[in-house]
Amino acid sequence: MGRVSATSVSMPRELALAFKAMRTRLGLVALLLALAAAAWWWAAARMGDMSMMSGQLGTFGWFVVTWIVMMAAMMLPSLAPTVSLYARMTRDRGPARALLFAAGYLVIWGVAGALAYGLFEAGRALFGHVGAAVAAGVVALAAVYQFTPLKDSCLGKCRGPLGFILSSWHGGRLGALRMGGEHAVWCLGCCWALMMALFALGIMSLGWMAVVAALIALEKTLPWRRVATTGTSVALLGLAGALAAGAL
């Protein structure tokens, strides 16, 4: 009887801890989505700058800050399940390490944006304004990349967060930053061609930013992996054709 009584007493405590952990994870996901929504609003305000309307990227610092906010808006919603799973597997149930994971993720994307800025400005200095034919070629390249082994491998890491976390685990707060950065590298391998397409379509266009963000989210979350990648490729080929025909 004593053993049964002890079990019955411990069950409510275990349930309370389970519900607390669930509330923490739901709160973390809600926080990431709220940050993404704020980033969308802030990015839309920044894109109203007239210098961006003329096809310029602005100053280096201006662009990098805007790029990081754009990445927060575009990537945090699809990153939320991974961050939530990471938070569940840490001993520290608070949001601090999970937010450090997300920060490490955005740091790598910020570095990628800085490199993209340099490449874009160098290309513009050498070749001038990017015409519709070049833009169509870049978007078509992104469509072809969908079927490469590198894309498939990187997308697998993005779609299987448990495998990534188990194989790349690092403890502590610095470990959280490092894991977020490593996950961003895989994500960068998965999405770099789509980001090139975004540059070609209009890097500071809120509409194209939303289109690319939707394609990334579908690739990472749809249960039918091949359908998602093929659908993205078909959409990109359609955009490339429209650019080549002068319809966009």
Side-chain angles (χ1 to χ4, degrees), residues 36-47 66-75 194-195 197-199 201-217:
W40 276 104
W41 174 83
W42 193 87
R46 299 279 279 189
M47 288 174 188
T66 303
W67 171 265
I68 292 174
V69 174
M70 286 172 60
M71 292 304 100
M74 296 174 67
M75 311 303 273
L194 286 170
M195 292 305 171
L198 180 59
F199 269 88
L201 292 166
I203 184 62
M204 291 300 165
S205 165
L206 193 66
W208 288 124
M209 180 178 155
V211 169
V212 172
L215 292 175
I216 291 171

Side-chain angles (χ1 to χ4, degrees), residues 32-203:
L32 290 175
L33 294 179
L35 289 173
W40 276 104
W41 174 83
W42 193 87
R46 299 279 279 189
M47 288 174 188
D49 192 286
M50 290 305 295
S51 67
M52 306 310 297
M53 300 302 292
S54 62
Q56 306 296 315
L57 293 185
T59 64
F60 176 78
W62 194 100
F63 174 80
V64 169
V65 171
T66 303
W67 171 265
I68 292 174
V69 174
M70 286 172 60
M71 292 304 100
M74 296 174 67
M75 311 303 273
L76 286 183
S78 58
L79 181 67
T82 302
V83 175
S84 176
L85 180 61
Y86 169 75
R88 180 182 178 183
M89 297 174 69
T90 57
R91 293 181 179 180
D92 181 5
R93 299 298 182 182
R97 291 190 185 181
L99 292 178
L100 285 172
F101 185 103
Y105 182 89
L106 291 176
V107 165
I108 295 302
W109 274 106
V111 172
L115 294 174
Y117 180 95
L119 291 173
F120 184 90
E121 288 297 314
R124 196 164 62 88
L126 289 173
F127 306 109
H129 179 70
V130 176
V134 174
V138 171
V139 176
L141 174 64
V144 173
Y145 181 68
Q146 294 295 107
F147 300 104
T148 62
L150 179 59
K151 168 74 179 191
D152 189 64
S153 176
C154 293
L155 183 58
K157 293 288 186 178
C158 293
R159 289 175 61 90
L162 178 60
F164 165 77
I165 291 173
L166 291 176
S167 63
S168 306
W169 185 266
H170 302 288
R173 296 189 174 186
L174 288 178
L177 277 170
R178 180 176 173 181
M179 288 179 67
E182 289 178 3
H183 188 66
V185 171
W186 287 109
C187 190
L188 186 60
C190 176
C191 301
W192 69 267
L194 286 170
M195 292 305 171
M196 281 184 56
L198 180 59
F199 269 88
L201 292 166
I203 184 62

